[in-house]
């Protein structure tokens, strides 16, 4: 991702200052991201993608034409954060699927929510607890999610996740693209066969 942010910024003839201003990220932090000294959160990535006017997934993989099917085996997930990360750990899935309306991740929330600040960003999120137990923490309430439980919400709502128990939970996260059209102009939901 490091070189992709820099490459996309330079392709658009943007300075660090311009991208920092458009994304709401400080110039010094952006410089650290481009040099690989810091790994941005999904919320920061969403802000960078919007400022660069690219789909979120293009920060993680080359966005070519979408193929019919993209398979990511469990052993092929790309770690987007260090295994020593005290905050949320992320693994990318279907990163080489090209342009898409949602970006999937496996995430492993920390046991302590203190190192994780509230995040908000354009778009919507869907979280599904695969293993363990997690808490979705919003400013107005906290929701406990057990294995098989899920939550869907507007990502503009400040939010964070933490694992409950003694081991990190395994959570599927889907981040949708931000819609530039009003709700009534969105395409209808697809019907099941």
């Amino acid at each position: 991702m490091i070189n992709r942010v820099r490459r996309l910024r330079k392709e658009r003839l943007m300075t660090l200052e311009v991208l920092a201003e458009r994304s709401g990220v400080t110039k010094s932090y952006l410089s650290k991201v481009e040099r690989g000294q810091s790994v941005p959160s999904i919320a920061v990535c969403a802000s960078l993608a919007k400022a660069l006017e690219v789909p979120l997934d293009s920060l993680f993989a080359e966005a070519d034409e979408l193929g019919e099917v993209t398979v990511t085996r469990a052993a092929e997930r790309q770690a987007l954060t260090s295994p020593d990360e005290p905050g949320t750990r992320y693994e990318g899935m279907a990163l080489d699927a090209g342009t898409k309306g949602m970006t999937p991740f496996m995430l492993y929330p920390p046991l302590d929510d203190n190192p994780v600040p509230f995040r908000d960003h354009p778009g919507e999120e869907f979280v599904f607890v695969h293993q363990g137990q997690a808490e979705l923490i919003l400013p107005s309430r906290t929701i406990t999610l057990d294995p098989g439980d899920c939550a869907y919400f507007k990502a503009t709502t400040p939010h964070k996740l933490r694992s409950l128990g003694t081991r990190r939970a395994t959570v599927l996260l889907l981040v949708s693209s931000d819609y530039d059209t009003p709700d009534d102009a969105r395409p209808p939901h697809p019907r099941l066969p």
Side-chain angles (χ1 to χ4, degrees), residues 21-87:
E21 182 180 318
R22 289 184 184 177
S23 65
V25 176
T26 66
K27 179 182 166 188
S28 62
Y29 181 73
L30 184 56
S31 177
K32 288 180 181 179
V33 169
E34 286 194 356
R35 291 190 320 251
Q37 296 175 337
S38 187
V39 178
S41 68
I42 298 300
V44 170
C45 288
S47 296
L48 290 172
K50 187 168 185 170
L52 291 165
E53 297 179 347
V54 298
L56 175 61
D57 60 335
S58 67
L59 296 182
F60 303 104
E62 296 301 327
D64 295 328
E65 191 171 323
L66 180 63
E68 183 180 358
V69 175
T70 299
V71 176
T72 304
R73 305 285 180 200
E76 297 170 346
R77 291 185 204 141
Q78 181 181 344
L80 302 176
T81 52
S82 164
D84 302 326
E85 171 64 39

Side-chain angles (χ1 to χ4, degrees), residues 12-14 21 30 67-68 70 77 80 90 96 99 101 117 136 147 150 163 181 184 193:
R12 284 149 183 76
L13 304 175
M14 283 185 186
E21 182 180 318
L30 184 56
E68 183 180 358
T70 299
R77 291 185 204 141
L80 302 176
Y90 292 92
D96 57 352
T99 304
L136 173 61
C150 62
S163 296
T181 57
D184 58 352

Side-chain angles (χ1 to χ4, degrees), residues 120-136:
D120 62 276
H121 54 88
E124 298 172 339
E125 285 194 17
F126 173 83
V127 294
F128 174 86
V129 178
H130 179 65
Q131 291 179 335
Q133 191 179 43
E135 267 185 345
L136 173 61

